[in-house]
Amino acid sequence: DLNPSMAEQAYRVYEKAAKDPRCILPKLISDLGLKSVLVLSTPEQVELGQRVVKLADSKAVGIYSRATMHTPKHITEEALATAKDKQADGIVSVGGGSTIGLGKAISIRTGLPHLAIPTTYAGSEMTPILGETENGRKVTRRDPKVLPTAVLYDVDLTLTLPARMTIHSGINAIAHAVEALYASNSNPIINLMAAEGIKATSEGLSALKKDANDSTARYNTLYGAWLCGLCLGAVDMALHHKLCHTLGGMFDLQHAETHVAILPHAIAYNASTTPEAMKSIAKALPESDGDAIRGINALYRRLDIDVTLKGLGMPEEGIANAADIATQNSYKNPSPLEKNALQELIRRAWAGEATL
Ligand code: NAD
């Protein structure tokens, strides 16, 4: 659903920008036909947001810096009021999935063009998906109009991502590709992209574990995350994503970390019914000896991952309720969704126990 002439313009800007990187942002904004963009950031990245305002030159009308996780509707309403007040004709979101999510929420309600500048590996910029939270429930929709109008990747912006967040965000990316490999509507191209996404991201993360400032590894990880984000946007996700969204919305858990806690368990839950996907995952991960679960566990060991749902603040009493809600809405998953098995999956991820 992208406007081809906009895409052509973006390519032209990019070619010119290779000669003078400072001109990318203002040129891209004006080539998108915008004169008064509102820049979005989180409170933690307000300085970066202000840099973007400065770089956008006279084409930015201000910044809204209260973007927050899981796109709560009251924040969207506040940002919408700011956009209206400042008569913004476009949105520039600079940050992770939270900020890009807010850009999507504004864009779908107003029709304003949205330029996304991602700084994590979450991949939201590549998807037509928007998850919004109200009263502890996260509701997700897929609509081509949610896709940002243009995306600007700059590896340098990922260099400030703290070491632990880097790893957690990268695993979040890998989760998209894992579920794409067993999606009911997957296809051979997506399978290739997913396998390459897992390989590039896991190799990038292993190098970043040794040196978080390794710019080649940052490049490879962002490349992998881009592929994984494309997979997330192209095909249906299953148990892993549904569970993470349920848990995130119910207990306000950190997004990437929730994915980290659940992923090995979700892979194990679906392993027996998805042999081809498991082969691809195993092939993409070193030290797997042909076994996807062994491969993901080895990756977690290499990256020193020890995230549990308990550590993220989920109450133990919430486990049964979460399993209930996760089975209430029907969705396609390779293995049948059984409440007791799901409850055990969540309990293991909560306690930090090994996969079944
Ligand atoms: P985030 O955007 O919440 O960022 C986490 C924290 O890290 C924030 O404080 C942020 O300001 C900071 N940060 C981000 N990049 C940084 C950098 N380079 N340097 C220093 N600090 C940085 O985290 P996230 O995991 O990217 O996004 C999570 C949100 O995105 C959730 O709400 C999730 O549902 C959504 N999401 C949506 C999709 C989709 O397709 N719709 C995909 C993935 C994630």
Side-chain angles (χ1 to χ4, degrees), residues 155 159 204 207-208 213-222:
V155 175
L159 285 168
L208 289 174
N213 293 318
D214 178 339
S215 51
T216 306
R218 284 280 176 197
Y219 177 91
N220 288 335
T221 310
L222 193 57

Side-chain angles (χ1 to χ4, degrees), residues 42 44-45 68-71 95-99 104 119-124 127 129-131 138 157-162 165 169 172 176 232 245 254-256:
T42 58
E44 296 78 18
Q45 285 181 293
T68 188
M69 224 179 25
H70 304 311
T71 332
S98 298
T99 311
K104 289 172 164 183
T119 64
T120 68
Y121 305 121
S124 176
T127 80
I129 305 166
L130 172 62
K138 192 161 183 174
L157 298 181
T158 62
L159 285 168
T160 51
L161 197 60
M165 255 216 75
S169 191
N172 181 196
H176 308 328
L232 170 68
H245 279 220
Q254 288 290 327
H255 171 83

Side-chain angles (χ1 to χ4, degrees), residues 193-265:
M193 284 166 48
E196 173 71 0
I198 295 173
K199 187 169 182 292
T201 310
S202 66
E203 283 174 3
L205 291 182
S206 301
L208 289 174
K209 176 75 179 75
K210 293 183 192 130
D211 176 7
N213 293 318
D214 178 339
S215 51
T216 306
R218 284 280 176 197
Y219 177 91
N220 288 335
T221 310
L222 193 57
Y223 160 68
W226 165 69
L227 285 167
C228 295
L230 277 168
C231 292
L232 170 68
V235 296
D236 291 342
M237 295 289 111
L239 172 66
H240 172 83
H241 282 75
K242 305 290 175 191
L243 254 189
C244 292
H245 279 220
T246 302
L247 294 167
M250 278 178 85
F251 307 108
D252 198 27
L253 306 181
Q254 288 290 327
H255 171 83
E257 285 71 11
T258 308
H259 278 262
V260 174
I262 295 289
L263 185 62
H265 300 278

Side-chain angles (χ1 to χ4, degrees), residues 1-320:
D1 200 43
L2 280 179
N3 175 340
S5 75
M6 275 186 178
E8 276 163 29
Q9 285 172 12
Y11 273 120
R12 265 192 281 122
V13 173
Y14 200 74
E15 267 174 24
K16 282 189 209 155
K19 291 177 200 131
D20 179 7
R22 282 164 308 170
C23 82
I24 298 178
L25 189 68
K27 273 297 285 167
L28 188 49
I29 291 171
S30 62
D31 279 11
L32 291 172
L34 306 176
K35 294 190 184 71
S36 45
V37 297
L38 178 69
V39 175
L40 307 177
S41 78
T42 58
E44 296 78 18
Q45 285 181 293
V46 66
E47 274 177 34
L48 177 61
Q50 278 156 353
R51 255 172 64 204
V52 169
V53 170
K54 220 167 159 188
L55 275 172
D57 211 4
S58 57
K59 295 182 186 81
V61 286
I63 178 167
Y64 176 86
S65 60
R66 284 159 56 95
T68 188
M69 224 179 25
H70 304 311
T71 332
K73 283 203 175 154
H74 70 277
I75 292 287
T76 300
E77 277 155 21
E78 200 177 88
L80 277 167
T82 308
K84 195 173 168 203
D85 187 46
K86 294 187 179 292
Q87 298 185 319
D89 65 358
I91 300 295
V92 176
S93 62
V94 58
S98 298
T99 311
I100 293 171
L102 178 60
K104 289 172 164 183
I106 297 175
S107 174
I108 188 82
R109 285 170 174 77
T110 57
L112 293 180
H114 172 202
L115 167 59
I117 310 177
T119 64
T120 68
Y121 305 121
S124 176
E125 69 282 358
M126 281 296 136
T127 80
I129 305 166
L130 172 62
E132 297 181 280
T133 311
E134 198 174 22
N135 304 326
R137 275 272 179 131
K138 192 161 183 174
V139 178
T140 301
R141 59 174 134 168
R142 252 181 202 267
D143 184 331
K145 293 194 201 86
V146 162
L147 260 179
T149 318
V151 178
L152 191 57
Y153 282 107
D154 182 343
V155 175
D156 286 353
L157 298 181
T158 62
L159 285 168
T160 51
L161 197 60
R164 297 297 327 152
M165 255 216 75
T166 294
I167 284 169
H168 298 156
S169 191
I171 297 289
N172 181 196
I174 288 175
H176 308 328
V178 162
E179 292 233 292
L181 281 168
Y182 54 61
S184 55
N185 56 349
S186 201
N187 61 58
I189 306 289
I190 289 295
N191 287 346
L192 283 174
M193 284 166 48
E196 173 71 0
I198 295 173
K199 187 169 182 292
T201 310
S202 66
E203 283 174 3
L205 291 182
S206 301
L208 289 174
K209 176 75 179 75
K210 293 183 192 130
D211 176 7
N213 293 318
D214 178 339
S215 51
T216 306
R218 284 280 176 197
Y219 177 91
N220 288 335
T221 310
L222 193 57
Y223 160 68
W226 165 69
L227 285 167
C228 295
L230 277 168
C231 292
L232 170 68
V235 296
D236 291 342
M237 295 289 111
L239 172 66
H240 172 83
H241 282 75
K242 305 290 175 191
L243 254 189
C244 292
H245 279 220
T246 302
L247 294 167
M250 278 178 85
F251 307 108
D252 198 27
L253 306 181
Q254 288 290 327
H255 171 83
E257 285 71 11
T258 308
H259 278 262
V260 174
I262 295 289
L263 185 62
H265 300 278
I267 294 178
Y269 192 96
N270 281 327
S272 64
T273 49
T274 58
E276 287 308 313
M278 293 301 128
K279 259 190 232 160
S280 300
I281 296 167
K283 209 168 152 202
L285 294 172
E287 298 179 68
S288 70
D289 288 334
D291 182 307
I293 302 170
R294 192 174 302 155
I296 197 81
N297 284 334
L299 179 66
Y300 272 44
R301 269 198 308 280
R302 249 190 339 276
L303 301 177
D304 276 337
I305 289 175
D306 59 357
V307 179
T308 63
L309 294 178
K310 183 182 180 183
L312 295 179
M314 175 178 164
E316 190 170 10
E317 315 79 75
I319 295 175

